[in-house]
Amino acid sequence: MSSNGLIKDGRKHVSCAHSLAQHPDSYKVTLIERNGVTGGQATSISLDKGKYGTSWLNDGVQGGSPAFKHTLHLFKKYGHEAQEVKLQVSFGKGKDGFWTNCFPSTLVERFSGDIKKFGRVLKIIKWTLPVLGLIPIRIMLRMFFFSKEFGDKMVYPLIALFLGTGNQTANVSCAILERLFDDPNMKLWDYDPDTLLPNLPRMVTFPQLDKFYGDWAADLRSKGVDIRLNTEVSTIVSRGKDGIVLQTQASEANPGSTRALRTETYDDLVMAVLADDALRLLGKTATWRERFVLGGARFYDDVTITHSDSEYFNKIYETEFKEELCAEPTSAAQEAQIRFSTNRERGPDGEPGGYRPMYYTHTYASDPKKIEMSFDCTNYQHQFRGGGEKEHVYQTIFLDKTSSALWTQDEIRPDKIILEKWWHQLGHRWQHYVRVVPGMMFVNGRSHKRTLFAGSWTVVNMHELACVSGMVAAYRLGADYERLEEEGDDEGEGEGGGFAEDFFKKVLLLSHASRYTGPSQLKRRKAMGLERK
């Protein structure tokens, strides 16, 4: 039986443990989590139901794309369901800065030529991905003579908001831009040649994440996984063919603990932590490849303020339909959009009418490549539906602590603040896609170090990628891939498979340079005498 240690952090180590736990006779799994709960950034907080209309809020990860097949499958497996929502956004402020996907705006009208050209450029990037894909977005916009305002007011806010690229958006690789619109596994919506972002695309809002991760952890424990909460790795002492030796202790958040060091040995190690944390823990045991590859990832400190200050929110963002923000309709479809936004008509799938944005961005006039962004959680998260007329709950995210002089944080009334939480977030710079992403295959699972790395930072910051990266790490250790039943699947192994399996294959190949040999590999490995001891 192989002894496997999983260090930290959130959904990627839980998904890895989940895959390994399906084979209790082959793997002894220990999951070491610094925090008091599993789930990482995917957490929930309590709310005053009488004041806000619900008793809980997902405060780190709120929702995603229907293409997140593994994520949605795991929700259902443990009795939790994501709920469909039609996306409404509000970018910018005032007639010269505002646009939305809900009704025609003067800004979209003004940049109609740039929007159409943008679609053609996406195709060029796709055809020349190994070259143009590595170029930063800001360079690409200049190369193809896009209007500067088109980049500042439409492209940067759109990418920053939905990929979490923050104030590094101008430096993001064009490959990510193209994948966002074209890759079936990653895209959140289809490119629209008239409006850039399509009208009311379908997305999902996640179930109560603390309960989901609690149920998932309970199931793992029932299968023999040793989950050690409030425990951290202080240092990795050695790594070699005889295994990994590390020292653990109670985390600082564990009250009353003596924090005595404990030495432990494992056959294999999965580091489901951020790249900078991984390098810190590896210390002198880090190889030059690991220092080079993992050292290319850059992280920035952001803060999320959860609050109910509607006066602040209405001042910073466009939260209501206004005639002066609406352009003259040029088609029957745009006329229908206006009727929907003014609550005179239901949506195309029968959803209630009315302009109720969920996502917002605010661009700084002094530095238009930088933004702050917000969610109206009452409009977005499904548990608020049917709660009656209550105070809205908002989340405003202030990006990159070094830019704090630009923040409007001080304008939020202190008595309206529900929670303040800091995050350490990946910056998707173009260098990340030159150094880190292609380099992961050279550090993952080097035989003499017996160490694997998992996390969304290995490719792009998406919940689905975090889950799949953990499953891929387990697969590299010999565990089976739990194939999902999808419409249109065939029954063959290896060459067939559905949408989710195709994504799994791509991550396995990209991050591990390993070929997918079918979902049930453990039986084959045992039959061939290749199972790890």
Side-chain angles (χ1 to χ4, degrees):
M1 177 180 290
S2 176
S3 174
N4 304 94
L6 285 80
I7 303 176
K8 258 196 99 261
D9 162 46
R11 54 261 190 203
K12 56 262 192 186
H13 79 208
V14 183
S15 64
C16 183
H18 173 84
S19 296
L20 295 171
Q22 308 311 308
H23 313 287
D25 293 335
S26 299
Y27 302 101
K28 180 181 179 182
V29 182
T30 300
L31 190 155
I32 301 170
E33 167 62 68
R34 180 170 56 190
N35 298 312
V37 295
T38 56
Q41 293 185 1
T43 56
S44 308
I45 62 172
S46 298
L47 293 178
D48 182 337
K49 186 174 183 178
K51 192 174 184 179
Y52 302 115
T54 184
S55 60
W56 61 273
L57 173 82
N58 288 332
D59 73 317
V61 180
Q62 305 201 45
S65 167
F68 290 2
K69 300 296 185 181
H70 297 89
T71 300
L72 301 181
H73 166 75
L74 288 167
F75 287 157
K76 289 183 179 180
K77 183 170 184 173
Y78 291 98
H80 301 264
E81 290 278 351
Q83 301 293 319
E84 182 175 312
V85 64
K86 292 298 186 72
L87 177 68
Q88 296 190 31
V89 300
S90 172
F91 293 111
K93 182 75 173 176
K95 188 174 182 178
D96 292 331
F98 167 80
W99 67 284
T100 180
N101 69 326
C102 297
F103 55 86
S105 67
T106 56
L107 198 69
V108 169
E109 190 177 65
R110 180 159 57 127
F111 293 131
S112 60
D114 281 319
I115 292 172
K116 287 181 171 60
K117 180 167 66 172
F118 191 78
R120 297 192 294 271
V121 171
L122 286 175
K123 292 180 181 178
I124 294 172
I125 295 171
K126 181 179 181 180
W127 297 331
T128 61
L129 203 60
V131 179
L132 283 184
L134 301 178
I135 294 174
I137 293 176
R138 58 183 170 80
I139 301 296
M140 178 275 292
L141 292 174
R142 291 205 297 266
M143 282 177 57
F144 290 97
F145 302 102
F146 284 100
S147 160
K148 182 178 182 300
E149 282 191 295
F150 174 66
D152 291 344
K153 295 182 178 181
M154 295 195 72
V155 177
Y156 296 146
L158 181 67
I159 305 304
L161 185 62
F162 290 103
L163 277 185
T165 52
N167 288 337
Q168 291 298 312
T169 302
N171 297 316
V172 168
S173 157
C174 284
I176 293 302
L177 178 69
E178 189 274 334
R179 297 289 85 186
L180 178 64
F181 286 96
D182 191 62
D183 189 320
N185 296 116
M186 287 179 59
K187 70 178 181 180
L188 300 178
W189 56 77
D190 293 315
Y191 160 76
D192 190 296
D194 296 318
T195 58
L196 188 60
L197 179 64
N199 176 244
L200 306 180
R202 180 170 158 256
M203 294 188 71
V204 293
T205 173
F206 289 168
Q208 187 170 351
L209 290 172
D210 63 341
K211 286 191 174 181
F212 162 67
Y213 277 102
D215 291 344
W216 198 0
D219 180 56
L220 293 179
R221 286 191 176 101
S222 72
K223 294 175 178 176
V225 176
D226 180 13
I227 300 179
R228 309 239 298 273
L229 302 178
N230 292 313
T231 304
E232 61 187 22
V233 176
S234 62
T235 188
I236 295 173
V237 179
S238 64
R239 296 182 297 157
K241 62 181 181 180
D242 294 327
I244 293 96
V245 179
L246 50 82
Q247 290 184 324
T248 63
Q249 63 184 155
S251 66
E252 293 181 359
N254 193 355
S257 170
T258 61
R259 307 202 71 206
L261 290 174
R262 173 179 174 181
T263 300
E264 306 178 36
T265 302
Y266 297 95
D267 295 325
D268 300 282
L269 180 67
V270 178
M271 300 194 74
V273 296
L274 298 179
D276 53 355
D277 282 335
L279 281 177
R280 176 180 57 81
L281 294 175
L282 288 171
K284 293 180 179 180
T285 73
T287 66
W288 70 266
R289 287 189 181 92
E290 290 167 340
R291 288 193 295 270
F292 177 78
V293 175
L294 275 61
R298 290 290 181 270
F299 296 87
Y300 299 85
D301 294 320
D302 307 333
V303 63
T304 297
I305 307 295
T306 305
H307 63 95
S308 60
D309 192 342
S310 57
E311 184 177 345
Y312 161 85
F313 213 77
N314 293 331
K315 175 185 174 183
I316 299 295
Y317 304 106
E318 298 291 359
T319 61
E320 300 176 349
F321 179 89
K322 298 175 183 176
E323 291 288 347
E324 64 267 26
L325 298 176
C326 184
E328 286 295 322
T330 58
S331 66
Q334 289 189 349
E335 290 175 353
Q337 290 172 14
I338 294 172
R339 291 194 298 272
F340 170 83
S341 298
T342 53
N343 205 15
R344 291 180 287 135
E345 184 177 291
R346 297 182 76 86
D349 294 323
E351 61 270 17
Y355 179 57
R356 290 182 287 271
M358 306 152 188
Y359 288 60
Y360 296 81
T361 64
H362 168 72
T363 299
Y364 301 118
S366 61
D367 192 346
K369 287 184 176 62
K370 295 181 178 180
I371 67 166
E372 56 194 39
M373 54 194 189
S374 289
F375 304 98
D376 184 330
C377 301
T378 301
N379 288 345
Y380 187 10
Q381 296 190 27
H382 65 271
Q383 71 274 17
F384 287 93
R385 299 172 194 169
E389 291 297 322
K390 304 288 186 179
E391 288 188 48
H392 278 226
V393 177
Y394 310 105
Q395 285 195 319
T396 301
I397 305 174
F398 301 97
L399 302 163
D400 187 4
K401 189 177 181 179
T402 63
S403 299
S404 60
L406 298 170
W407 294 355
T408 62
Q409 177 183 2
D410 292 340
E411 298 182 40
I412 301 175
R413 283 175 48 182
D415 62 313
K416 293 289 186 177
I417 293 176
I418 299 170
L419 180 69
E420 177 178 316
K421 183 180 286 189
W422 285 88
W423 311 93
H424 195 54
Q425 298 280 55
L426 174 69
H428 297 72
R429 309 173 309 150
W430 66 269
Q431 296 96 325
H432 191 76
Y433 296 92
V434 174
R435 181 172 165 184
V436 180
V437 175
M440 291 308 301
M441 66 177 67
F442 299 105
V443 298
N444 260 322
R446 304 293 290 188
S447 59
H448 65 292
K449 292 299 182 183
R450 309 191 74 157
T451 304
L452 296 164
F453 302 91
S456 60
W457 61 268
T458 59
V459 184
V460 64
N461 189 26
M462 301 175 75
H463 189 278
E464 178 76 351
L465 201 287
C467 285
V468 172
S469 71
M471 296 174 183
V472 164
Y475 188 83
R476 285 294 313 280
L477 292 172
D480 291 349
Y481 167 63
E482 183 182 359
R483 189 179 182 192
L484 310 186
E485 292 186 8
E486 299 180 71
E487 187 176 348
D489 272 2
D490 60 47
E491 296 302 320
E493 283 193 2
E495 297 303 321
F499 181 88
E501 191 169 5
D502 180 61
F503 186 45
F504 181 89
K505 292 177 186 177
K506 289 177 179 176
V507 177
L508 177 65
L509 182 63
L510 177 64
S511 295
H512 295 260
S514 183
R515 181 177 174 271
Y516 181 72
T517 57
S520 301
Q521 65 164 0
L522 190 61
K523 291 180 181 178
R524 287 196 294 270
R525 290 174 65 88
K526 286 181 177 180
M528 297 170 65
L530 297 176
E531 185 187 10
R532 255 187 178 158
K533 301 296 182 182

